[in-house]
Amino acid sequence: MGFDIDKIRADFPILKREVYGKQLIYFDNGATTQKPQQVIDCITNYYLYKNSNVHRGVHKLSVEATTDFEESRNYIAEFINAESEKEIVFTSGTTESINLIANSFSNLLDKGDEVLISSMEHHSNFVPWQQLCENTGAKLKIVPVNDNGSLDMDFLDSLLNEKVKLLAITHISNVMGTINPIKEIIAKAHNYGIPVLVDGAQAIAHIEIDVKELDCEFYCFSSHKVYGPMGFGVLYGKSHWLNNLQPYQYGGEMISTVTIDKTTFNEIPYKFEAGTPDVPGALATVEALKYIKNIGIKNIVEYEDELLVYATQKLLEIDNMRIIGTAHHKTSVISFLVGDIHPYDIGTLLDQMGVAVRTGNHCAQPLIDNYCIPGTVRISLGIYNTKQEIDIFIEALNKTLAMLA
Amino acid sequence: MTIEEKANSLVDEFQMFDEWMDKYSYIIELGKEMPLIDEKYKDPQHLISGCQSRVWLYAEISDGKVKFTADSDAVITKGIISLLLRVVSGETPNDIANADFSFIEEIGLKEHLSPTRANGLVSMMKQIKLYAKAFQLKSN
Ligand SMILES: Cc1ncc(COP(=O)(O)O)c(C=O)c1O
């Protein structure tokens, strides 16, 4: 299937809705994406016909649910090109995936060790490491960004050394859309034997992910940012790393045997999955991934690139426009400010005209502070957005600016 | 005028507007007329937390009446705060502590009342009442 925008739009029922009597224009895909009918049906069907707990029943429904659940693991492993489905741990989202690793690293770190992150991290890939360092006495070191929002690679080089026990970095910045040269970064880290965790929250819906090619130790993403359901996510980890890490939560299914003297843990990935999992979440995630695979990731990249170029051009025609993040490699995320107008004012008025954008620090306060700005207005585009919508948005923005002048 | 009368007259003023744009333009205008907080009180102590924009609020009492001043770096936020202050400023701590801010909803700004709304309107109301209660305690 090629890229048929009309068909894609028709698949997303929510796009038909109005807000304040105006046609909704949804430009907040970085926060969460909308869901196609296929994903919604998958969840409904699960509860209508399939609901049952997994891994524990002898009855037909449970066996079926378990099979479907484990097949989703296979599909997701294949989708990101993991070596084996054992390397796919199901979580509640990127945040939990990162916290799981941060927690499991707590007995691997000592005073004098270092953890490396960048200043463009989302709080979810910032605070867990800050806490880990506080608790272990390790030092948190931060790779800064250049003025255009790209990572300062020379500075990264200067921070790499044998004391660094982990590098955690985002694949794509949620504020600026910067695509980090993640493969090169990982290769550099590996020269010092440093494992790398990649926060793929903003990448999974927009570019092709191949963990084998990247050679990262860990990769994290959330289903809700790739047209899938909320509350489901993935932690990919190389088997030998997952095998050696401590479990993070304890309880049902993650154990092998339990006696009053000792508990032994199940094998990977189950030792990291305590408690009843989100089964419909897993099934619907597969549906979402199939959906974008059907359209073709290459087609998506091409289409969203076109939107990015168009929107950037249109924005730059506005007086006093300042785009935060102009790296050469970026996805369809644009953060901007106009003169000294507060982003909140722009966002509030755009909302009244049916345009959903995000304003504020986008859970990346260290980055925003770095630019000494009060936050930004952010548009983040997805597969169902169009140039016509960008035109309407620009018109609404001009109206907004006239009101605030 | 009592707090309630002032609130009612604000609701009347807003009834003139059919268009949301006119309503918001008026809110922005009202914000420009608000008595501004003295620069020296624009410090962390007077900053209201929970807002996407920065909002400062200060109160003083003379002759048993509370006078509020405020500011914000977002003009819509500033306008909305000015609505609150227009209603409560110049009243007694008792009356302010018992004030009912439901006029905001009647003006048609209900969406700003959600506790998660980043303009901090809800925190602002809380802070106004806190000031009033503190003055109540002091005078007792
Ligand atoms: C770069 C990045 N990392 C992590 C997260 C957190 O994702 P979740 O809330 O789905 O756990 C986000 C979400 O905004 C993000 O953009």
Side-chain angles (χ1 to χ4, degrees):
Chain A
M1 191 184 112
F3 200 92
D4 179 349
I5 184 67
D6 294 331
K7 167 148 193 344
I8 291 171
R9 287 186 68 81
D11 285 334
F12 290 80
I14 206 171
L15 298 180
K16 294 187 193 78
R17 92 157 262 191
E18 297 188 340
V19 289
Y20 309 110
K22 285 161 196 102
Q23 180 61 46
L24 167 70
I25 293 186
Y26 188 77
F27 279 3
D28 195 16
N29 294 287
T32 197
T33 52
Q34 302 301 345
K35 324 302 172 199
Q37 191 68 50
Q38 290 86 330
V39 167
I40 299 166
D41 287 346
C42 174
I43 295 166
T44 313
N45 280 329
Y46 176 79
Y47 285 118
L48 281 174
Y49 307 114
K50 300 180 175 174
N51 180 48
S52 176
N53 212 326
V54 289
H55 294 142
R56 36 191 99 170
V58 293
H59 57 81
K60 175 76 175 157
L61 281 187
S62 174
V63 172
E64 271 182 20
T66 307
T67 308
D68 287 356
F69 184 63
E70 288 308 323
E71 272 174 10
S72 354
R73 205 186 297 276
N74 298 341
Y75 185 87
I76 292 167
E78 227 172 87
F79 189 90
I80 61 170
N81 198 25
E83 188 76 37
S84 139
E85 72 284 353
K86 291 191 173 67
E87 299 178 320
I88 304 297
V89 179
F90 289 157
T91 66
S92 66
T94 308
T95 304
E96 193 188 20
S97 299
I98 296 169
N99 273 282
L100 190 161
I101 295 301
N103 231 280
S104 302
F105 258 73
S106 60
N107 53 3
L108 300 181
L109 290 189
D110 271 321
K111 251 193 202 84
D113 286 341
E114 294 175 1
V115 174
L116 219 55
I117 60 175
S118 88
S119 70
M120 68 169 92
E121 299 310 317
H122 186 279
H123 294 163
S124 290
N125 197 31
F126 200 112
V127 184
W129 308 116
Q130 199 175 39
Q131 290 298 314
L132 174 67
C133 288
E134 256 176 44
N135 295 337
T136 57
K139 248 206 191 111
L140 189 66
K141 291 281 180 81
I142 297 175
V143 186
V145 294
N146 299 312
D147 286 345
N148 73 352
S150 60
L151 196 75
D152 186 337
M153 294 294 280
D154 293 334
F155 210 104
L156 169 70
D157 285 337
S158 75
L159 288 179
L160 291 172
N161 66 67
E162 275 80 15
K163 284 183 287 184
V164 179
K165 290 296 177 295
L166 184 86
L167 166 63
I169 184 153
T170 194
H171 199 161
I172 293 177
S173 157
N174 66 312
V175 179
M176 307 178 293
T178 310
I179 306 175
N180 283 318
I182 210 76
K183 196 177 164 191
E184 184 188 341
I185 293 169
I186 291 166
K188 280 174 187 283
H190 285 176
N191 285 338
Y192 294 85
I194 302 166
V196 180
L197 174 142
V198 182
D199 173 353
Q202 293 295 337
I204 187 75
H206 304 285
I207 57 175
E208 189 150 350
I209 307 301
D210 181 333
V211 291
K212 210 175 283 168
E213 200 207 329
L214 292 179
D215 201 23
C216 55
E217 276 60 37
F218 307 104
Y219 198 95
C220 313
F221 66 89
S222 304
S223 184
H224 73 98
K225 291 192 200 275
V226 56
Y227 311 103
M230 283 188 164
F232 188 84
V234 170
L235 165 67
Y236 157 83
K238 283 184 182 169
S239 327
H240 70 276
W241 272 97
L242 292 183
N243 276 324
N244 289 328
L245 288 176
Q246 276 290 314
Y248 153 66
Q249 286 175 334
Y250 303 92
E253 277 320 306
M254 53 79 60
I255 47 83
S256 170
T257 57
V258 180
T259 68
I260 50 175
D261 298 320
K262 188 166 174 60
T263 292
T264 57
F265 302 125
N266 206 333
E267 54 195 38
I268 63 166
Y270 307 112
K271 77 170 182 182
F272 294 108
E273 294 178 1
T276 296
D278 181 356
V279 181
L283 307 193
T285 297
V286 168
E287 212 54 53
L289 295 177
K290 280 183 177 163
Y291 186 83
I292 61 167
K293 190 148 204 173
N294 236 332
I295 296 171
I297 311 273
K298 276 203 181 72
N299 294 329
I300 293 176
V301 171
E302 205 173 292
Y303 180 74
E304 290 183 349
D305 236 25
E306 215 178 290
L307 292 183
L308 170 68
V309 170
Y310 186 72
T312 306
Q313 244 167 23
K314 289 277 164 185
L315 281 171
L316 287 174
E317 285 169 13
I318 292 173
D319 283 346
N320 298 316
M321 174 60 59
R322 176 176 173 205
I323 292 179
I324 311 293
T326 50
H328 186 58
H329 287 287
K330 59 177 280 186
T331 50
S332 47
V333 173
I334 309 176
S335 259
F336 66 90
L337 287 167
V338 186
D340 56 4
I341 299 177
H342 199 280
Y344 179 79
D345 289 325
I346 294 179
T348 302
L349 296 182
L350 285 176
D351 172 52
Q352 290 288 327
M353 290 183 261
V355 185
V357 300
R358 183 154 178 202
T359 64
N361 66 31
H362 316 291
C363 299
Q365 211 178 318
L367 178 72
I368 295 297
D369 290 349
N370 182 55
Y371 283 102
C372 295
I373 50 178
T376 71
V377 182
R378 180 188 75 180
I379 62 169
S380 47
L381 309 173
I383 44 175
Y384 36 66
N385 292 127
T386 64
K387 286 187 185 169
Q388 290 94 300
E389 285 182 314
I390 293 170
D391 288 339
I392 299 171
F393 153 69
I394 293 286
E395 202 186 310
L397 180 59
N398 278 321
K399 251 190 212 170
T400 295
L401 297 175
M403 280 179 73
L404 294 170
Chain B
M1 278 203 279
T2 64
I3 289 186
E4 203 185 335
E5 284 163 351
K6 284 192 271 184
N8 286 339
S9 97
L10 256 180
V11 172
D12 285 346
E13 281 171 41
F14 272 88
Q15 238 135 39
M16 298 187 313
F17 306 118
D18 297 329
E19 286 282 317
W20 70 267
M21 279 182 83
D22 298 331
K23 190 163 80 186
Y24 273 87
S25 296
Y26 190 55
I27 290 170
I28 294 167
E29 278 315 303
L30 290 180
K32 290 179 186 158
E33 292 164 17
M34 175 173 72
L36 284 185
I37 187 169
D38 197 314
E39 284 295 322
K40 71 175 181 237
Y41 296 127
K42 278 189 169 182
D43 56 17
Q45 209 191 324
H46 297 93
L47 197 62
I48 306 230
S49 57
C51 316
Q52 214 177 75
S53 51
R54 290 183 300 170
V55 177
W56 299 268
L57 179 70
Y58 176 73
E60 58 197 357
I61 190 159
S62 69
D63 296 335
K65 303 282 170 78
V66 187
K67 193 176 143 239
F68 289 97
T69 50
D71 200 2
S72 168
D73 49 8
V75 298
I76 294 174
T77 309
K78 195 165 153 182
I80 290 174
I81 287 153
S82 80
L83 302 179
L84 295 180
L85 296 197
R86 206 173 111 178
V87 167
V88 296
S89 219
E91 301 298 329
T92 64
N94 254 342
D95 288 345
I96 296 169
N98 297 321
D100 167 13
F101 291 127
S102 60
F103 72 95
I104 292 287
E105 202 163 324
E106 288 173 56
I107 285 176
L109 294 172
K110 190 164 170 225
E111 70 259 25
H112 292 277
L113 284 171
S114 128
T116 55
R117 191 81 190 190
N119 67 10
L121 181 59
V122 174
S123 320
M124 176 65 66
M125 293 173 178
K126 239 188 241 163
Q127 195 60 34
I128 287 174
K129 297 219 167 191
L130 270 179
Y131 268 120
K133 282 179 187 147
F135 288 131
Q136 266 179 324
L137 280 177
K138 252 191 226 162
S139 65
N140 287 343

